[in-house]
């Protein structure tokens, strides 16, 4: 903010994602929280400011006569204080969190659209770094343009077929016979690089492109199943957020129908965080998918501190013990104890257990002794391109 004249600032205030997804699973509590959101905002803006609800979770405000960056920071700090206290509803504390992005409106006041875009970028940046608010600067723009560029490259990659699924074998723990594979995405750029998902999945998840990517992954895995022996299954990773919003059941059903593949052969892996986010909708979605007949696995189990109360009602078929425990189980008694506990827990709920990250013969043997059902890891194979997988396992 420069010069001495007073400026208007455009702010976007959003009810945090975690707010609408975590905790408030019932429509009723969501409505309560949205009302509180509006009420408290009214307590924040001054009479001369303007504000408008953009949707249920987002409000646009125009703060008039903000003389300096410091003044804006004071306003933002007040916003923080106003939302600090939880809301008490029927004796229960409901935390309510917001994030904001601010951008100066050019002195002519004409370019509202630009200010809106810039406030949106600042809001994204604040969300990413888990801050209460951010003010637009050129820095925001360059971070975001990097991300936007990656997203368009991903969209193009999907279009021209640069994404591939690699397959990592899953074997029977006692007999080491092949029972299926996990599909793991790889990006072969035109420049000859192979990019692993840790470089692009997170960005894809923050952007819409995760949807077509996942649809593509499901279809291509099911297409693969159609060509593989009937007794083999394939697991596809699905982001929890996508499971929540999207038409995944329809995509799954269509793919199975087109290729004539039995639903039981398709496995969807979701991370443990689904147990913390938006339970009610998640449970419904998982139940719908299971009705189709596909199997559900909980991935990276043990890393998400989910509550056992949710676990009890979870409609899943399989648990994958996170590789961090498996890798260290022979050196660390604590990791061993966790591995044992997860195996018991799963079996008590009639779920199968997969150990991922099995790198040595000793660990494989130990897991078989512990009655783990399925093993996956470098000891057997790393993720392989489909052709290599087919050759290696003589499919
Ligand atoms: O093989 P590995 O480095 O490649 O995978 C890294 C992470 O990326 C894993 O945690 C895996 O869950 C995730 N991942 C791999 N492929 C996909 C995919 O097709 N969709 C999603 N959502 N995640 C994937
Ligand atoms: O979806 P998930 O997070 O479970 O993805 C599995 C990840 O673990 C992928 O990145 C895959 O390449 C990796 N991986 C598979 N087997 C092993 C293994 O034996 N050791 C280690 N360190 N990583 C593995
Ligand atoms: Mn996985």
């Amino acid at each position: 903010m420069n010069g001495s004249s007073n400026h208007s600032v455009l702010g976007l205030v959003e009810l945090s994602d975690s707010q609408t997804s975590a905790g408030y699973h019932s429509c009723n509590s969501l409505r309560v929280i949205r009302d509180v959101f509006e009420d408290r905002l009214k307590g924040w803006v001054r009479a001369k400011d303007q504000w408008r609800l953009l949707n249920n979770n987002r409000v646009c405000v125009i703060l008039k006569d903000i003389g300096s960056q410091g003044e804006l920071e004071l306003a933002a700090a007040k916003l923080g204080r106003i939302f600090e206290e939880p809301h008490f509803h029927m004796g229960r504390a409901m935390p309510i969190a917001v994030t904001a992005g601010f951008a100066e409106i050019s002195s002519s006041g004409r370019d509202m659209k630009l200010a809106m875009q810039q406030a949106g970028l600042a809001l994204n940046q604040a969300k990413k770094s888990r801050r209460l608010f951010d003010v637009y600067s050129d820095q925001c723009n360059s971070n975001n343009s990097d991300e936007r560029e990656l997203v368009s490259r991903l969209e193009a990659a999907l279009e021209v077929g640069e994404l591939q699924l690699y397959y990592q074998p899953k074997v029977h723990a006692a007999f080491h016979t092949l029972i299926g594979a996990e599909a793991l995405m790889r990006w072969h750029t035109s420049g000859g690089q192979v990019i692993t998902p840790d470089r692009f999945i997170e960005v894809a998840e923050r952007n819409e492109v995760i949807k077509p990517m996942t649809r593509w992954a499901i279809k291509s895995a099911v297409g693969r199943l159609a060509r593989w022996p009937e007794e083999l299954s394939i697991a596809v990773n699905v982001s929890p957020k996508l499971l929540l919003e999207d038409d995944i059941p329809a995509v799954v059903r269509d793919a199975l129908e087109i290729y004539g593949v039995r639903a039981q052969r398709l496995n969807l892996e979701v991370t443990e965080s689904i147990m913390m986010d938006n339970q009610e909708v998640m449970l419904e979605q998982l139940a719908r998918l299971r009705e189709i007949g596909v199997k559900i696995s909980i991935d990276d189990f043990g890393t998400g501190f989910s509550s056992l109360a949710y676990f009890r009602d979870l409609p899943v078929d399989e648990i994958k013990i996170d590789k961090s425990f498996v890798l260290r189980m022979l050196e660390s008694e604590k990791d061993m104890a966790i591995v044992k506990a997860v195996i018991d827990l799963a079996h008590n709920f009639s779920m199968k257990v997969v150990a991922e990250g099995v790198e040595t013969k000793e660990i494989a043997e130990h897991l078989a002794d512990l009655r783990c059902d399925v093993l996956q890891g470098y000891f057997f194979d790393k993720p392989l391109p489909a052709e290599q997988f087919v050759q290696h396992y003589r499919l």
Side-chain angles (χ1 to χ4, degrees):
M1 219 141 292
N2 43 29
S4 56
S5 64
N6 282 347
H7 296 271
S8 294
V9 169
L10 186 144
L12 289 172
V13 184
E14 194 178 85
L15 195 55
S16 299
D17 252 1
S18 60
Q19 211 72 59
T20 45
S21 44
Y24 306 125
H25 2 296
S26 83
C27 299
N28 192 30
S29 32
L30 205 51
R31 212 184 47 236
V32 170
I33 228 62
R34 281 174 180 155
D35 288 346
V36 176
F37 176 52
E38 266 196 73
D39 278 349
R40 292 201 185 176
L41 280 171
K42 284 177 195 158
W44 176 55
V45 293
R46 303 155 303 174
K48 61 182 166 189
D49 299 332
Q50 295 169 330
W51 71 289
R52 181 159 67 89
L53 200 60
L54 295 181
N55 61 36
N56 282 331
N57 302 333
R58 201 183 257 208
V59 162
C60 172
V61 294
I62 294 172
L63 304 172
K64 298 280 172 69
D65 301 328
I66 300 284
S68 65
Q69 176 91 13
E71 222 174 287
L72 179 56
E73 278 168 11
L74 282 178
K78 184 178 166 198
L79 178 71
R81 277 198 308 279
I82 281 180
F83 281 95
E84 218 164 44
E85 289 287 302
H87 173 69
F88 286 90
H89 182 62
M90 311 212 300
R92 199 163 64 97
M94 301 168 89
I96 169 166
V98 294
T99 313
F102 297 101
E104 193 178 345
I105 300 170
S106 68
S107 49
S108 67
R110 248 180 264 151
D111 213 349
M112 278 308 243
K113 208 171 150 194
L114 181 66
M116 192 79 149
Q117 264 172 11
Q118 294 178 334
L121 293 178
L123 175 65
N124 270 344
Q125 177 132 317
K127 281 203 274 193
K128 246 183 274 168
S129 44
R130 298 170 186 280
R131 280 195 289 269
L132 168 65
F133 73 97
D134 255 317
V135 183
Y136 174 80
S137 69
D138 291 339
Q139 176 64 32
C140 280
N141 210 3
S142 76
N143 285 349
N144 266 283
S145 67
D146 286 354
E147 179 158 329
R148 268 203 311 272
E149 195 201 312
L150 183 59
V151 170
S152 8
R153 283 182 58 209
L154 264 175
E155 284 165 350
L158 187 58
E159 199 72 30
V160 301
E162 286 179 1
L163 296 182
Q164 270 189 35
L165 292 181
Y166 275 36
Y167 293 91
Q168 187 178 35
K170 290 166 85 174
V171 305
H172 190 287
F175 309 125
H176 294 194
T177 45
L178 184 69
I179 59 166
E182 174 173 3
L184 293 154
M185 214 179 271
R186 297 289 181 271
W187 178 3
H188 289 248
T189 65
S190 50
Q193 274 178 296
V194 181
I195 307 182
T196 53
D198 50 316
R199 305 266 305 280
F200 61 83
I201 288 289
E202 213 185 297
V203 172
E205 282 179 346
R206 269 202 298 273
N207 294 276
E208 292 289 294
V209 67
I210 192 67
K211 295 183 185 181
M213 281 168 62
T214 307
R215 284 191 209 112
W216 168 81
I218 290 172
K219 283 182 207 152
S220 65
V222 173
R224 194 63 67 185
L225 276 172
R227 284 175 277 161
W228 282 6
E230 179 65 21
E231 68 275 12
L232 297 183
S233 62
I234 292 180
V236 177
N237 292 284
V238 179
S239 327
K241 193 175 161 204
L242 192 77
L243 199 64
L244 189 71
E245 290 173 6
D246 215 30
D247 48 342
I248 289 295
V251 172
V252 167
R253 207 180 301 110
D254 289 351
L256 293 168
E257 220 170 88
I258 290 168
Y259 289 104
V261 167
R262 271 190 314 121
Q264 288 71 18
R265 300 176 62 202
L266 179 65
N267 211 308
L268 300 181
E269 291 191 6
V270 282
T271 57
E272 196 186 358
S273 63
I274 57 150
M275 288 190 252
M276 283 165 281
D277 295 343
N278 221 335
Q279 275 87 36
E280 217 156 85
V281 184
M282 275 297 177
L283 292 178
E284 262 169 41
Q285 277 284 64
L286 291 179
R288 278 169 69 199
L289 286 163
R290 270 182 117 203
E291 248 166 58
I292 298 172
V294 299
K295 305 277 186 209
I296 309 288
S297 307
I298 301 293
D299 208 357
D300 308 330
F301 189 82
T303 57
F305 300 103
S306 53
S307 141
L308 289 177
Y310 297 130
F311 185 84
R312 183 191 56 203
D313 301 317
L314 211 60
V316 308
D317 304 279
E318 185 182 274
I319 286 182
K320 300 187 77 173
I321 312 176
D322 189 68
K323 57 178 172 290
S324 59
F325 307 116
V326 176
L327 286 169
R328 290 190 299 257
M329 63 181 266
L330 296 186
E331 286 92 62
S332 149
E333 276 175 35
K334 289 180 179 168
D335 289 308
M336 173 68 89
I338 290 173
V339 169
K340 284 183 183 165
V342 174
I343 293 174
D344 279 348
L345 180 70
H347 286 165
N348 284 329
F349 284 86
S350 309
M351 296 169 184
K352 274 194 170 184
V353 192
V354 182
E356 45 175 41
V358 178
E359 292 189 355
T360 66
K361 183 161 175 271
E362 292 67 42
I363 290 181
E365 283 171 358
H366 219 108
L367 285 162
D369 290 343
L370 293 172
R371 298 273 175 274
C372 182
D373 302 283
V374 178
L375 309 180
Q376 178 183 349
Y378 297 161
F379 174 61
F380 300 99
D381 247 321
K382 59 183 194 297
L384 300 170
E387 304 71 41
Q388 228 168 304
F389 190 96
V390 166
Q391 260 179 11
H392 198 233
Y393 292 90
R394 305 211 167 100
L395 304 184

